[in-house]
Amino acid sequence: MPCFTKEREECDNHFERWIYILKNMEILERMPWAAQNAVFQRLADIAEVSKLNKEERLEYDHALKRYRDTLNAMTGAELKGIEKGRAEGEKNKAIEVARNLKAMGLSADDIVKVTGLTAEELKAL
């Protein structure tokens, strides 16, 4: 006599659902409860990929690689843009501070030390 005999509708908790899925994996056309829990959705996704034939699997892997490459490129570009924006913002603040210090009559050497601007950048103000 089998230990676990519940049907899909009779499973009351995640443990019973896992047992049901593992016991009936080969006959399931779709995963029950997938929309209710991310773990079951991930399991459903894995099961769908495992059904692919060799040609479909190669096509899937290639598409997944392209997707991940694109995502990485976009993330890298975003981070680069954020970094560039921060650097420009810091530069603009330094220029503003330099103008204020210049208006107060501070020497060019002191302004360069305080702001981190170069002497050429200070002359251009």
Side-chain angles (χ1 to χ4, degrees):
M1 182 170 132
C3 295
F4 188 84
T5 58
K6 287 189 176 188
E7 292 299 318
R8 185 176 85 182
E9 299 79 25
E10 298 173 309
C11 296
D12 297 323
N13 57 51
H14 286 325
F15 177 75
E16 290 177 354
R17 291 175 187 139
W18 274 110
I19 299 299
Y20 175 84
I21 288 171
L22 294 172
K23 182 178 176 202
N24 297 289
M25 183 69 77
E26 72 281 350
I27 62 170
L28 289 176
E29 295 204 11
R30 70 174 190 82
M31 289 290 170
W33 317 289
Q36 298 174 9
N37 187 294
V39 173
F40 289 107
Q41 181 61 52
R42 179 74 176 126
L43 183 60
D45 294 343
I46 291 168
E48 285 300 314
V49 171
S50 69
K51 291 180 185 177
L52 300 176
N53 65 36
K54 187 175 182 178
E55 184 179 310
E56 291 170 330
R57 181 59 191 255
L58 288 172
E59 188 177 323
Y60 170 81
D61 289 342
H62 184 68
L64 185 59
K65 182 184 180 321
R66 278 195 322 261
Y67 167 76
R68 288 178 176 160
D69 289 347
T70 301
L71 188 61
N72 285 336
M74 290 173 61
T75 301
E78 182 181 8
L79 292 174
K80 199 178 222 180
I82 290 170
E83 186 178 310
K84 183 178 179 185
R86 244 187 229 135
E88 288 175 3
E90 290 174 9
K91 184 75 150 191
N92 289 339
K93 285 180 185 177
I95 290 170
E96 185 180 330
V97 169
R99 284 188 177 133
N100 291 337
L101 293 174
K102 196 172 186 181
M104 292 172 61
L106 227 60
S107 73
D109 288 339
D110 288 338
I111 295 173
V112 167
K113 287 177 189 174
V114 170
T115 61
L117 296 174
T118 65
E120 292 78 27
E121 290 171 324
L122 185 58
K123 286 179 187 174
L125 297 180

PDB file of all heavy atoms in Angstrom, residues 93-124:
ATOM      1  N   LYS A  93      29.554  70.688  -7.872  1.00  0.00           N
ATOM      2  CA  LYS A  93      29.585  71.216  -6.506  1.00  0.00           C
ATOM      3  C   LYS A  93      30.930  71.875  -6.223  1.00  0.00           C
ATOM      4  O   LYS A  93      30.993  72.942  -5.608  1.00  0.00           O
ATOM      5  CB  LYS A  93      29.317  70.109  -5.489  1.00  0.00           C
ATOM      6  CG  LYS A  93      27.879  69.686  -5.421  1.00  0.00           C
ATOM      7  CD  LYS A  93      27.687  68.600  -4.393  1.00  0.00           C
ATOM      8  CE  LYS A  93      26.253  68.086  -4.415  1.00  0.00           C
ATOM      9  NZ  LYS A  93      26.049  66.982  -3.486  1.00  0.00           N
ATOM     10  N   ALA A  94      32.004  71.222  -6.681  1.00  0.00           N
ATOM     11  CA  ALA A  94      33.340  71.778  -6.466  1.00  0.00           C
ATOM     12  C   ALA A  94      33.471  73.121  -7.185  1.00  0.00           C
ATOM     13  O   ALA A  94      34.067  74.065  -6.646  1.00  0.00           O
ATOM     14  CB  ALA A  94      34.406  70.806  -6.958  1.00  0.00           C
ATOM     15  N   ILE A  95      32.909  73.206  -8.387  1.00  0.00           N
ATOM     16  CA  ILE A  95      32.959  74.470  -9.140  1.00  0.00           C
ATOM     17  C   ILE A  95      32.179  75.559  -8.415  1.00  0.00           C
ATOM     18  O   ILE A  95      32.634  76.703  -8.299  1.00  0.00           O
ATOM     19  CB  ILE A  95      32.436  74.263 -10.583  1.00  0.00           C
ATOM     20  CG1 ILE A  95      33.445  73.427 -11.368  1.00  0.00           C
ATOM     21  CG2 ILE A  95      32.146  75.574 -11.274  1.00  0.00           C
ATOM     22  CD1 ILE A  95      32.943  72.957 -12.726  1.00  0.00           C
ATOM     23  N   GLU A  96      31.011  75.196  -7.880  1.00  0.00           N
ATOM     24  CA  GLU A  96      30.194  76.170  -7.140  1.00  0.00           C
ATOM     25  C   GLU A  96      30.920  76.664  -5.892  1.00  0.00           C
ATOM     26  O   GLU A  96      30.960  77.857  -5.607  1.00  0.00           O
ATOM     27  CB  GLU A  96      28.864  75.515  -6.761  1.00  0.00           C
ATOM     28  CG  GLU A  96      27.888  76.455  -6.096  1.00  0.00           C
ATOM     29  CD  GLU A  96      26.582  75.760  -5.742  1.00  0.00           C
ATOM     30  OE1 GLU A  96      26.188  74.814  -6.440  1.00  0.00           O
ATOM     31  OE2 GLU A  96      25.976  76.174  -4.748  1.00  0.00           O
ATOM     32  N   VAL A  97      31.531  75.724  -5.179  1.00  0.00           N
ATOM     33  CA  VAL A  97      32.290  76.094  -3.977  1.00  0.00           C
ATOM     34  C   VAL A  97      33.470  76.980  -4.364  1.00  0.00           C
ATOM     35  O   VAL A  97      33.756  77.998  -3.701  1.00  0.00           O
ATOM     36  CB  VAL A  97      32.772  74.833  -3.223  1.00  0.00           C
ATOM     37  CG1 VAL A  97      33.791  75.186  -2.138  1.00  0.00           C
ATOM     38  CG2 VAL A  97      31.595  74.092  -2.627  1.00  0.00           C
ATOM     39  N   ALA A  98      34.159  76.642  -5.451  1.00  0.00           N
ATOM     40  CA  ALA A  98      35.305  77.431  -5.908  1.00  0.00           C
ATOM     41  C   ALA A  98      34.874  78.856  -6.242  1.00  0.00           C
ATOM     42  O   ALA A  98      35.572  79.820  -5.905  1.00  0.00           O
ATOM     43  CB  ALA A  98      35.950  76.767  -7.122  1.00  0.00           C
ATOM     44  N   ARG A  99      33.740  79.007  -6.911  1.00  0.00           N
ATOM     45  CA  ARG A  99      33.246  80.358  -7.234  1.00  0.00           C
ATOM     46  C   ARG A  99      32.973  81.164  -5.964  1.00  0.00           C
ATOM     47  O   ARG A  99      33.310  82.349  -5.867  1.00  0.00           O
ATOM     48  CB  ARG A  99      31.971  80.257  -8.076  1.00  0.00           C
ATOM     49  CG  ARG A  99      32.233  79.885  -9.505  1.00  0.00           C
ATOM     50  CD  ARG A  99      30.973  79.982 -10.352  1.00  0.00           C
ATOM     51  NE  ARG A  99      31.291  79.675 -11.738  1.00  0.00           N
ATOM     52  CZ  ARG A  99      30.597  78.849 -12.493  1.00  0.00           C
ATOM     53  NH1 ARG A  99      29.520  78.245 -12.015  1.00  0.00           N
ATOM     54  NH2 ARG A  99      30.961  78.624 -13.735  1.00  0.00           N
ATOM     55  N   ASN A 100      32.360  80.503  -4.979  1.00  0.00           N
ATOM     56  CA  ASN A 100      32.071  81.189  -3.718  1.00  0.00           C
ATOM     57  C   ASN A 100      33.356  81.578  -2.988  1.00  0.00           C
ATOM     58  O   ASN A 100      33.466  82.693  -2.449  1.00  0.00           O
ATOM     59  CB  ASN A 100      31.203  80.310  -2.811  1.00  0.00           C
ATOM     60  CG  ASN A 100      29.795  80.144  -3.343  1.00  0.00           C
ATOM     61  OD1 ASN A 100      29.312  80.964  -4.116  1.00  0.00           O
ATOM     62  ND2 ASN A 100      29.133  79.067  -2.934  1.00  0.00           N
ATOM     63  N   LEU A 101      34.318  80.671  -2.971  1.00  0.00           N
ATOM     64  CA  LEU A 101      35.587  80.967  -2.299  1.00  0.00           C
ATOM     65  C   LEU A 101      36.341  82.081  -3.025  1.00  0.00           C
ATOM     66  O   LEU A 101      36.975  82.937  -2.395  1.00  0.00           O
ATOM     67  CB  LEU A 101      36.450  79.706  -2.210  1.00  0.00           C
ATOM     68  CG  LEU A 101      35.911  78.597  -1.306  1.00  0.00           C
ATOM     69  CD1 LEU A 101      36.786  77.349  -1.412  1.00  0.00           C
ATOM     70  CD2 LEU A 101      35.811  79.070   0.144  1.00  0.00           C
ATOM     71  N   LYS A 102      36.264  82.082  -4.354  1.00  0.00           N
ATOM     72  CA  LYS A 102      36.907  83.119  -5.154  1.00  0.00           C
ATOM     73  C   LYS A 102      36.270  84.481  -4.857  1.00  0.00           C
ATOM     74  O   LYS A 102      36.971  85.493  -4.705  1.00  0.00           O
ATOM     75  CB  LYS A 102      36.774  82.770  -6.640  1.00  0.00           C
ATOM     76  CG  LYS A 102      37.692  83.527  -7.547  1.00  0.00           C
ATOM     77  CD  LYS A 102      37.599  82.960  -8.956  1.00  0.00           C
ATOM     78  CE  LYS A 102      38.610  83.615  -9.855  1.00  0.00           C
ATOM     79  NZ  LYS A 102      38.541  83.105 -11.220  1.00  0.00           N
ATOM     80  N   ALA A 103      34.928  84.475  -4.735  1.00  0.00           N
ATOM     81  CA  ALA A 103      34.211  85.711  -4.418  1.00  0.00           C
ATOM     82  C   ALA A 103      34.567  86.215  -3.020  1.00  0.00           C
ATOM     83  O   ALA A 103      34.536  87.425  -2.762  1.00  0.00           O
ATOM     84  CB  ALA A 103      32.711  85.489  -4.529  1.00  0.00           C
ATOM     85  N   MET A 104      34.936  85.304  -2.125  1.00  0.00           N
ATOM     86  CA  MET A 104      35.325  85.688  -0.772  1.00  0.00           C
ATOM     87  C   MET A 104      36.769  86.186  -0.721  1.00  0.00           C
ATOM     88  O   MET A 104      37.224  86.665   0.318  1.00  0.00           O
ATOM     89  CB  MET A 104      35.161  84.495   0.178  1.00  0.00           C
ATOM     90  CG  MET A 104      33.727  84.087   0.395  1.00  0.00           C
ATOM     91  SD  MET A 104      33.566  82.547   1.327  1.00  0.00           S
ATOM     92  CE  MET A 104      34.327  82.948   2.869  1.00  0.00           C
ATOM     93  N   GLY A 105      37.499  86.043  -1.841  1.00  0.00           N
ATOM     94  CA  GLY A 105      38.859  86.549  -1.896  1.00  0.00           C
ATOM     95  C   GLY A 105      39.932  85.554  -1.514  1.00  0.00           C
ATOM     96  O   GLY A 105      41.083  85.941  -1.298  1.00  0.00           O
ATOM     97  N   LEU A 106      39.603  84.259  -1.418  1.00  0.00           N
ATOM     98  CA  LEU A 106      40.597  83.242  -1.092  1.00  0.00           C
ATOM     99  C   LEU A 106      41.593  83.110  -2.244  1.00  0.00           C
ATOM    100  O   LEU A 106      41.244  83.311  -3.406  1.00  0.00           O
ATOM    101  CB  LEU A 106      39.891  81.887  -0.860  1.00  0.00           C
ATOM    102  CG  LEU A 106      40.309  81.109   0.388  1.00  0.00           C
ATOM    103  CD1 LEU A 106      40.045  81.905   1.648  1.00  0.00           C
ATOM    104  CD2 LEU A 106      39.614  79.784   0.425  1.00  0.00           C
ATOM    105  N   SER A 107      42.821  82.760  -1.929  1.00  0.00           N
ATOM    106  CA  SER A 107      43.847  82.614  -2.962  1.00  0.00           C
ATOM    107  C   SER A 107      43.553  81.399  -3.836  1.00  0.00           C
ATOM    108  O   SER A 107      42.897  80.443  -3.406  1.00  0.00           O
ATOM    109  CB  SER A 107      45.231  82.464  -2.325  1.00  0.00           C
ATOM    110  OG  SER A 107      45.347  81.193  -1.739  1.00  0.00           O
ATOM    111  N   ALA A 108      44.075  81.432  -5.072  1.00  0.00           N
ATOM    112  CA  ALA A 108      43.871  80.328  -6.021  1.00  0.00           C
ATOM    113  C   ALA A 108      44.437  79.030  -5.460  1.00  0.00           C
ATOM    114  O   ALA A 108      43.812  77.968  -5.600  1.00  0.00           O
ATOM    115  CB  ALA A 108      44.509  80.677  -7.361  1.00  0.00           C
ATOM    116  N   ASP A 109      45.605  79.071  -4.812  1.00  0.00           N
ATOM    117  CA  ASP A 109      46.210  77.873  -4.233  1.00  0.00           C
ATOM    118  C   ASP A 109      45.312  77.245  -3.167  1.00  0.00           C
ATOM    119  O   ASP A 109      45.132  76.028  -3.127  1.00  0.00           O
ATOM    120  CB  ASP A 109      47.584  78.190  -3.625  1.00  0.00           C
ATOM    121  CG  ASP A 109      48.647  78.454  -4.685  1.00  0.00           C
ATOM    122  OD1 ASP A 109      48.448  78.009  -5.836  1.00  0.00           O
ATOM    123  OD2 ASP A 109      49.666  79.078  -4.351  1.00  0.00           O
ATOM    124  N   ASP A 110      44.717  78.084  -2.325  1.00  0.00           N
ATOM    125  CA  ASP A 110      43.838  77.576  -1.271  1.00  0.00           C
ATOM    126  C   ASP A 110      42.552  76.979  -1.873  1.00  0.00           C
ATOM    127  O   ASP A 110      42.065  75.944  -1.404  1.00  0.00           O
ATOM    128  CB  ASP A 110      43.487  78.688  -0.278  1.00  0.00           C
ATOM    129  CG  ASP A 110      44.667  79.059   0.607  1.00  0.00           C
ATOM    130  OD1 ASP A 110      45.591  78.227   0.752  1.00  0.00           O
ATOM    131  OD2 ASP A 110      44.662  80.182   1.157  1.00  0.00           O
ATOM    132  N   ILE A 111      42.024  77.629  -2.886  1.00  0.00           N
ATOM    133  CA  ILE A 111      40.803  77.128  -3.525  1.00  0.00           C
ATOM    134  C   ILE A 111      41.067  75.768  -4.166  1.00  0.00           C
ATOM    135  O   ILE A 111      40.258  74.850  -4.057  1.00  0.00           O
ATOM    136  CB  ILE A 111      40.261  78.135  -4.563  1.00  0.00           C
ATOM    137  CG1 ILE A 111      39.824  79.425  -3.856  1.00  0.00           C
ATOM    138  CG2 ILE A 111      39.109  77.530  -5.359  1.00  0.00           C
ATOM    139  CD1 ILE A 111      39.433  80.555  -4.791  1.00  0.00           C
ATOM    140  N   VAL A 112      42.213  75.611  -4.815  1.00  0.00           N
ATOM    141  CA  VAL A 112      42.582  74.329  -5.428  1.00  0.00           C
ATOM    142  C   VAL A 112      42.684  73.253  -4.357  1.00  0.00           C
ATOM    143  O   VAL A 112      42.201  72.127  -4.548  1.00  0.00           O
ATOM    144  CB  VAL A 112      43.906  74.467  -6.224  1.00  0.00           C
ATOM    145  CG1 VAL A 112      44.469  73.117  -6.593  1.00  0.00           C
ATOM    146  CG2 VAL A 112      43.679  75.324  -7.457  1.00  0.00           C
ATOM    147  N   LYS A 113      43.289  73.583  -3.211  1.00  0.00           N
ATOM    148  CA  LYS A 113      43.422  72.619  -2.117  1.00  0.00           C
ATOM    149  C   LYS A 113      42.055  72.209  -1.561  1.00  0.00           C
ATOM    150  O   LYS A 113      41.816  71.044  -1.279  1.00  0.00           O
ATOM    151  CB  LYS A 113      44.269  73.210  -0.989  1.00  0.00           C
ATOM    152  CG  LYS A 113      45.741  73.302  -1.308  1.00  0.00           C
ATOM    153  CD  LYS A 113      46.490  73.952  -0.168  1.00  0.00           C
ATOM    154  CE  LYS A 113      47.932  74.242  -0.560  1.00  0.00           C
ATOM    155  NZ  LYS A 113      48.623  75.010   0.488  1.00  0.00           N
ATOM    156  N   VAL A 114      41.165  73.185  -1.397  1.00  0.00           N
ATOM    157  CA  VAL A 114      39.855  72.914  -0.801  1.00  0.00           C
ATOM    158  C   VAL A 114      38.955  72.121  -1.748  1.00  0.00           C
ATOM    159  O   VAL A 114      38.292  71.168  -1.345  1.00  0.00           O
ATOM    160  CB  VAL A 114      39.158  74.234  -0.391  1.00  0.00           C
ATOM    161  CG1 VAL A 114      37.708  74.002  -0.010  1.00  0.00           C
ATOM    162  CG2 VAL A 114      39.910  74.891   0.751  1.00  0.00           C
ATOM    163  N   THR A 115      38.933  72.494  -3.015  1.00  0.00           N
ATOM    164  CA  THR A 115      37.959  71.920  -3.946  1.00  0.00           C
ATOM    165  C   THR A 115      38.475  70.688  -4.700  1.00  0.00           C
ATOM    166  O   THR A 115      37.673  69.898  -5.198  1.00  0.00           O
ATOM    167  CB  THR A 115      37.532  72.955  -4.999  1.00  0.00           C
ATOM    168  OG1 THR A 115      38.689  73.359  -5.760  1.00  0.00           O
ATOM    169  CG2 THR A 115      36.888  74.141  -4.341  1.00  0.00           C
ATOM    170  N   GLY A 116      39.782  70.571  -4.840  1.00  0.00           N
ATOM    171  CA  GLY A 116      40.317  69.472  -5.629  1.00  0.00           C
ATOM    172  C   GLY A 116      40.346  69.764  -7.118  1.00  0.00           C
ATOM    173  O   GLY A 116      40.723  68.921  -7.920  1.00  0.00           O
ATOM    174  N   LEU A 117      39.919  70.971  -7.502  1.00  0.00           N
ATOM    175  CA  LEU A 117      39.994  71.364  -8.907  1.00  0.00           C
ATOM    176  C   LEU A 117      41.443  71.626  -9.281  1.00  0.00           C
ATOM    177  O   LEU A 117      42.288  71.892  -8.424  1.00  0.00           O
ATOM    178  CB  LEU A 117      39.162  72.633  -9.154  1.00  0.00           C
ATOM    179  CG  LEU A 117      37.655  72.533  -8.942  1.00  0.00           C
ATOM    180  CD1 LEU A 117      37.022  73.916  -9.089  1.00  0.00           C
ATOM    181  CD2 LEU A 117      37.042  71.570  -9.923  1.00  0.00           C
ATOM    182  N   THR A 118      41.739  71.571 -10.562  1.00  0.00           N
ATOM    183  CA  THR A 118      43.082  71.925 -11.017  1.00  0.00           C
ATOM    184  C   THR A 118      43.161  73.435 -11.190  1.00  0.00           C
ATOM    185  O   THR A 118      42.139  74.113 -11.258  1.00  0.00           O
ATOM    186  CB  THR A 118      43.394  71.251 -12.381  1.00  0.00           C
ATOM    187  OG1 THR A 118      42.516  71.799 -13.364  1.00  0.00           O
ATOM    188  CG2 THR A 118      43.251  69.742 -12.304  1.00  0.00           C
ATOM    189  N   ALA A 119      44.389  73.929 -11.256  1.00  0.00           N
ATOM    190  CA  ALA A 119      44.594  75.372 -11.444  1.00  0.00           C
ATOM    191  C   ALA A 119      43.964  75.837 -12.763  1.00  0.00           C
ATOM    192  O   ALA A 119      43.388  76.925 -12.844  1.00  0.00           O
ATOM    193  CB  ALA A 119      46.073  75.703 -11.394  1.00  0.00           C
ATOM    194  N   GLU A 120      44.054  74.983 -13.794  1.00  0.00           N
ATOM    195  CA  GLU A 120      43.464  75.341 -15.107  1.00  0.00           C
ATOM    196  C   GLU A 120      41.946  75.440 -15.004  1.00  0.00           C
ATOM    197  O   GLU A 120      41.334  76.323 -15.598  1.00  0.00           O
ATOM    198  CB  GLU A 120      43.852  74.304 -16.167  1.00  0.00           C
ATOM    199  CG  GLU A 120      45.343  74.292 -16.537  1.00  0.00           C
ATOM    200  CD  GLU A 120      46.202  73.566 -15.480  1.00  0.00           C
ATOM    201  OE1 GLU A 120      45.671  72.675 -14.773  1.00  0.00           O
ATOM    202  OE2 GLU A 120      47.387  73.925 -15.368  1.00  0.00           O
ATOM    203  N   GLU A 121      41.343  74.483 -14.282  1.00  0.00           N
ATOM    204  CA  GLU A 121      39.886  74.525 -14.117  1.00  0.00           C
ATOM    205  C   GLU A 121      39.458  75.773 -13.344  1.00  0.00           C
ATOM    206  O   GLU A 121      38.438  76.383 -13.671  1.00  0.00           O
ATOM    207  CB  GLU A 121      39.398  73.270 -13.377  1.00  0.00           C
ATOM    208  CG  GLU A 121      39.507  71.992 -14.204  1.00  0.00           C
ATOM    209  CD  GLU A 121      39.226  70.739 -13.392  1.00  0.00           C
ATOM    210  OE1 GLU A 121      39.601  70.687 -12.189  1.00  0.00           O
ATOM    211  OE2 GLU A 121      38.670  69.793 -13.964  1.00  0.00           O
ATOM    212  N   LEU A 122      40.258  76.151 -12.368  1.00  0.00           N
ATOM    213  CA  LEU A 122      39.934  77.348 -11.583  1.00  0.00           C
ATOM    214  C   LEU A 122      40.057  78.592 -12.435  1.00  0.00           C
ATOM    215  O   LEU A 122      39.210  79.492 -12.350  1.00  0.00           O
ATOM    216  CB  LEU A 122      40.871  77.423 -10.371  1.00  0.00           C
ATOM    217  CG  LEU A 122      40.594  78.546  -9.385  1.00  0.00           C
ATOM    218  CD1 LEU A 122      39.174  78.447  -8.827  1.00  0.00           C
ATOM    219  CD2 LEU A 122      41.600  78.525  -8.257  1.00  0.00           C
ATOM    220  N   LYS A 123      41.080  78.679 -13.292  1.00  0.00           N
ATOM    221  CA  LYS A 123      41.248  79.852 -14.171  1.00  0.00           C
ATOM    222  C   LYS A 123      40.089  79.980 -15.145  1.00  0.00           C
ATOM    223  O   LYS A 123      39.719  81.083 -15.530  1.00  0.00           O
ATOM    224  CB  LYS A 123      42.561  79.750 -14.943  1.00  0.00           C
ATOM    225  CG  LYS A 123      43.782  80.013 -14.104  1.00  0.00           C
ATOM    226  CD  LYS A 123      45.050  79.868 -14.926  1.00  0.00           C
ATOM    227  CE  LYS A 123      46.260  79.955 -14.030  1.00  0.00           C
ATOM    228  NZ  LYS A 123      47.510  79.690 -14.751  1.00  0.00           N
ATOM    229  N   ALA A 124      39.519  78.849 -15.531  1.00  0.00           N
ATOM    230  CA  ALA A 124      38.414  78.872 -16.515  1.00  0.00           C
ATOM    231  C   ALA A 124      37.124  79.405 -15.920  1.00  0.00           C
ATOM    232  O   ALA A 124      36.207  79.768 -16.662  1.00  0.00           O
ATOM    233  CB  ALA A 124      38.182  77.461 -17.053  1.00  0.00           C
TER     234      ALA A 124
END
